[in-house]
Amino acid sequence: MTQPPPQPVTPADPDGVAHWLPSALRDAAEPGGPRLLDALLAAVDRQRRLLSEDIQRAYDDLFIDSCADWAVPYIGALLGLGQDAERLEVAHAVALRRRKGTPAALEDFAFAVTGLIARVSEGWQTTLWTQRLGHPPPPRTAALDLRDRASVKRLGTPFERSRRGVRPAGPWTPRSVTAVVWPWSVRQLVATEAAPFDQTKLKGRFALHPLGIAAPLYLRPREARVAAEGADPANRTGDESDAPTRATYRVLEALAGPGDITYGGSLTLAATHPLATVPGAEPPLISLSTPAGAVLWEQLRFGSVPPTGAVAAPPSRFQVLVDTQRGFVQLGSELAGPVRATWYRAVPGRVGALAALADTDPAARVVVEVSKSSGPGVVGSLADAFKLAEQRSAGLAPEESAAGVPDVEIRLLAGDRLEAPPPQSFTPRLPRWRIVAPPLATPVVVGDLTLDLAGACVSLEGFFLKGSLTAGPRLAGLFADGLTMDPGAGGLRTDPDAWELDLRATRCVLGPVRAELSALPVELTECVVDGRLRRFRACGPADEGVRTDAVAQVNRFGPVLHADSVTFAGPVRADAVDARDCVFADGVDAVQQQEGCIRTSYLGPALTTPARHPATYRSVTAPAPAFVSDAFESSGYYCLELEPDHPLLAAAGDGGEVGAYHRSRRAFRIRQLRRRIGEFTPLGLTAEVSVAPWEER
């Protein structure tokens, strides 16, 4: 019987124990064969590496910045914190306690507990009480100066500075402290290419949002961090620029000083306005550029730019009219696109492309960079990227592909508008492909994306898609992470013959999903699957959309669905369902009732009589969820209302809210802040927490 050939031995580790031996033994090798000594010491090296890693891990666990998650409550216990204290609070516990009792410390404590920006209002500064000689000005008068535009514009907002009569309870009491928490955060879109309108009818008009939809602008808030020791809380202005507020015209006027705004057919903000963009600095509101160069702040005008029809007050030849309510811009006659903009949008959690944190993988074997700003080794389209990736893959061994490491990585470096490539149907040389947009890059792929790479697994991460996504019959796997699809422009579809397709989506906004019964289930985690197809309007109610099934079959049999923390808008029809912490807003229908389980979820109305679904555990059919908005890309897109307290805010298995924003734990953290706010409030004061109202509905 023929003996198998000897297996090659991996060369000795330069830091291995073999290098501790004398050179006479270290350099000895058997002629024509592997080093037997290295083979014998390989097991010793493995144990040495495990011991070294354990020692390094034990050292890292001594510090809150680098310790494992399980060690956080133990370090917090040394400081007297509870078991629910998270890493940020533990890290700044000492610094916060040294400043406790001050409004700035309470704001930082609220951010440490909730991860959300808060503003503290003291009752003695907002109520009317008798002026005493021992208290310096300003005088505490009850009269409101109607000539003070800022005070009038702030009435009824968390930034109101007028004084009111004392009330028995609430914020208008001298011994009260109110912390207003904004349940969303603001993300930046950096040099994103604006979407043009029909240039034959609306020449020079663009939508700032990559998908070409209405999207109001927001202000860049102060750096959201807990002030360390020695930080100067006086840098906080206490006005709208301290919070993630929407850039309404009322806010523009409230922040303006004398002479900062010039009125007319449109508003002109002077260079002294707090929101003016300083050249070379990060813009607090917006900065624009065209092929002719950067648009100076003096060239910007602010007014109405409707999606149809003529502009009421067109700008002059070299000016740009910006509509902060809709997110549209109109170029002057001497300016031409494309337009790139740096601006800000509100997001309620880590769902979708704008909140994605995907990054490039330095271990990728083949790297192709895509950007319209051409450079050495950079291509300008996805079609060219696929061709170049196949060329660079020549000579690489497919058997050296490693799990978790992409063989081919196509990097979308900038916020470009990229045309979708023709249907990609070929047999790649390497099996693992990845298309990724790094952080702060928000590109959009325009058109239908069809992938049929035989035997390959393709990962899509961190970009927008205005079109449908189709998985071909020969594709082995399709993984999406931080992907935002325009539900009205297309959905996610698998070929009916894709029997062995592995389909997964995490932290995505998806259109209607159409899949057939296959060997592997469709796995969705922390996603919004939109079958209602309603589009956000900045002025007026959202459109009615065209309702369709959120999940359904392609031809005959629905897929097996595994869902974790997903919000389904539209009926879900599947062969079998296994779900937890989900919201089936319009009901669920599963053919196989003996397979799977729906745990701690909202089931929605029955789609059949009697209802067909698998066994349930702590799942409810009432009350119905109250969403902030069901309009696509609004700031509260399928977020559960936080006030008044709703049972679904604590219906998940871990006590959190159900649905796509389950991991954000907003309701749980705000409840925790309400319970602990007294720790940073002086004795004798009454503290309460309120939630800022959503500005897009």
Side-chain angles (χ1 to χ4, degrees):
M1 186 174 180
T2 305
Q3 295 292 334
Q7 297 296 323
V9 178
T10 305
D13 185 356
D15 299 324
V17 295
H19 287 262
W20 302 349
L21 300 177
S23 59
L25 296 176
R26 184 174 65 243
D27 299 333
E30 299 180 9
R35 285 174 45 117
L36 180 60
L37 186 60
D38 290 339
L40 294 175
L41 294 178
V44 180
D45 276 331
R46 284 194 296 270
Q47 296 302 318
R48 180 191 61 82
R49 284 193 295 268
L50 290 175
L51 180 60
S52 176
E53 292 173 1
D54 188 63
I55 294 174
Q56 183 62 42
R57 191 180 305 112
Y59 180 78
D60 292 341
D61 288 342
L62 295 176
F63 306 97
I64 188 61
D65 295 335
S66 57
C67 69
D69 292 339
W70 65 266
V72 172
Y74 290 93
I75 299 178
L78 298 176
L79 301 172
L81 298 176
Q83 293 290 324
D84 53 358
E86 298 188 9
R87 189 183 299 268
L88 187 61
E89 181 185 356
V90 176
H92 295 88
V94 175
L96 287 173
R97 287 174 178 175
R98 288 178 176 177
R99 300 165 44 232
K100 68 187 306 182
T102 63
L106 183 54
E107 290 177 359
D108 290 339
F109 174 70
F111 178 75
V113 173
T114 64
L116 303 170
I117 292 179
R119 182 183 182 273
V120 171
S121 173
E122 298 175 282
W124 70 272
Q125 291 190 353
T126 58
T127 53
L128 180 65
W129 46 289
T130 304
Q131 181 75 40
R132 296 178 58 184
L133 296 178
H135 288 273
R140 297 169 177 84
T141 58
L144 178 64
D145 187 0
L146 298 180
R147 296 170 297 179
D148 186 357
R149 188 178 299 274
S151 297
V152 174
K153 297 297 181 181
R154 291 188 173 112
L155 287 176
T157 70
F159 309 98
E160 181 178 347
R161 296 177 179 176
S162 61
R163 294 183 175 273
R164 302 196 182 190
V166 176
R167 300 179 184 178
W172 313 111
T173 304
R175 292 190 176 275
S176 69
V177 175
T178 304
V180 181
V181 179
W182 278 263
W184 63 85
S185 57
V186 170
R187 296 298 178 96
Q188 185 182 38
L189 293 95
V190 180
T192 301
E193 185 177 354
F197 283 81
D198 185 355
Q199 296 298 293
T200 59
K201 299 179 180 179
L202 302 172
K203 183 179 180 181
R205 196 169 304 183
F206 296 82
L208 296 178
H209 196 281
L211 294 174
I213 61 177
L217 277 66
Y218 279 72
L219 274 59
R220 175 176 62 86
R222 60 175 169 81
E223 186 179 1
R225 63 177 178 85
V226 177
E229 297 182 61
D232 186 8
N235 292 332
R236 303 177 183 182
T237 60
D239 55 24
E240 290 82 355
S241 60
D242 266 356
T245 53
R246 180 174 167 179
T248 61
Y249 296 115
R250 184 176 69 174
V251 170
L252 299 183
E253 293 181 324
L255 289 173
D260 283 348
I261 294 185
T262 302
Y263 296 91
S266 57
L267 299 182
T268 302
L269 305 185
T272 55
H273 194 281
L275 299 181
T277 300
V278 179
E282 190 174 8
L285 177 60
I286 188 174
S287 67
L288 299 172
S289 65
T290 65
V295 178
L296 301 179
W297 181 259
E298 292 76 11
Q299 297 175 253
L300 297 182
R301 300 294 182 266
F302 298 89
S304 176
V305 180
T308 58
V311 177
S316 65
R317 295 182 301 165
F318 295 98
Q319 293 177 347
V320 179
L321 185 62
V322 180
D323 189 339
T324 62
Q325 305 304 300
R326 298 184 178 95
F328 299 159
V329 297
Q330 174 71 49
L331 301 183
S333 58
E334 294 295 328
L335 298 177
V339 175
R340 291 189 178 271
T342 298
W343 54 296
Y344 307 91
R345 277 293 294 160
V347 294
R350 277 195 58 198
V351 176
L354 191 55
L357 298 177
D359 207 346
T360 57
D361 193 335
R365 302 170 68 187
V366 175
V367 174
V368 177
E369 297 180 338
V370 182
S371 175
K372 287 188 175 181
S373 301
S374 60
V378 179
V379 297
S381 68
L382 276 175
D384 293 338
F386 276 96
K387 295 178 182 177
L388 182 58
E390 270 297 276
Q391 295 175 7
R392 293 182 176 178
S393 301
L396 298 179
E399 57 271 13
E400 295 180 4
S401 177
V405 178
D407 296 317
V408 177
E409 185 169 272
I410 299 176
R411 299 173 179 175
L412 312 182
L413 299 181
D416 299 320
R417 293 181 60 79
L418 302 170
E419 292 295 329
Q424 299 296 309
S425 180
F426 60 92
T427 301
R429 292 186 176 92
L430 300 176
R432 290 183 171 86
W433 288 59
R434 184 180 187 226
I435 304 176
V436 59
L440 299 182
T442 50
V444 56
V445 177
V446 182
D448 297 338
L449 184 59
T450 302
L451 302 173
D452 190 19
L453 280 61
C457 296
V458 182
S459 178
L460 311 175
E461 303 180 31
F463 60 91
F464 293 88
L465 176 61
K466 192 173 182 61
S468 60
L469 176 60
T470 303
R474 301 184 298 167
L475 193 65
L478 181 61
F479 312 133
D481 189 351
L483 181 71
T484 294
M485 301 180 64
D486 186 344
L492 176 59
R493 180 185 176 90
T494 66
D495 191 276
D497 296 328
W499 172 251
E500 297 181 349
L501 176 66
D502 186 4
L503 178 59
R504 307 177 199 171
T506 304
R507 294 182 291 273
C508 294
V509 177
L510 304 175
V513 177
R514 298 293 179 263
E516 198 75 4
L517 182 64
S518 62
L520 298 174
V522 175
E523 297 186 12
L524 305 178
T525 305
E526 299 179 59
C527 294
V528 175
V529 183
D530 191 351
R532 295 183 179 177
L533 310 182
R534 300 191 68 198
R535 194 173 293 277
F536 172 75
R537 287 181 183 170
C539 302
D543 60 20
E544 292 302 321
V546 180
R547 289 181 176 249
T548 184
D549 292 342
V551 179
Q553 72 279 4
V554 178
N555 286 336
R556 296 181 59 190
F557 303 106
V560 175
L561 177 64
H562 289 183
D564 182 1
S565 305
V566 180
T567 298
F568 296 95
V572 174
R573 307 180 194 275
D575 185 75
V577 175
D578 188 271
R580 66 176 180 180
D581 303 335
C582 293
V583 174
F584 298 92
D586 296 301
V588 55
D589 179 29
V591 177
Q592 301 293 339
Q593 302 179 52
Q594 295 80 19
E595 181 180 348
C597 179
I598 301 180
R599 298 172 292 277
T600 57
S601 300
Y602 171 73
L603 298 177
L607 298 179
T608 59
T609 305
R612 298 190 306 179
H613 53 70
T616 62
Y617 173 71
R618 291 174 54 189
S619 296
V620 298
T621 57
F627 295 119
V628 175
S629 175
D630 61 353
F632 175 62
E633 278 295 87
S634 60
S635 61
Y637 183 52
Y638 283 108
C639 281
L640 294 176
E641 290 275 13
L642 297 177
E643 291 183 344
D645 200 10
H646 195 282
L648 294 181
L649 293 175
D654 60 355
E657 63 182 281
V658 295
Y661 304 99
H662 168 64
R663 298 295 188 275
S664 300
R665 305 177 67 196
R666 296 172 302 127
F668 171 81
R669 289 173 172 171
I670 291 176
R671 287 197 301 266
Q672 187 179 12
L673 177 62
R674 285 194 172 105
R675 179 173 58 85
R676 300 183 52 196
I677 191 173
E679 299 177 15
F680 279 74
T681 305
L683 188 66
L685 298 185
T686 302
E688 62 180 29
V689 177
S690 64
V691 179
W694 294 87
E695 301 182 55
E696 297 178 23
R697 289 185 180 271

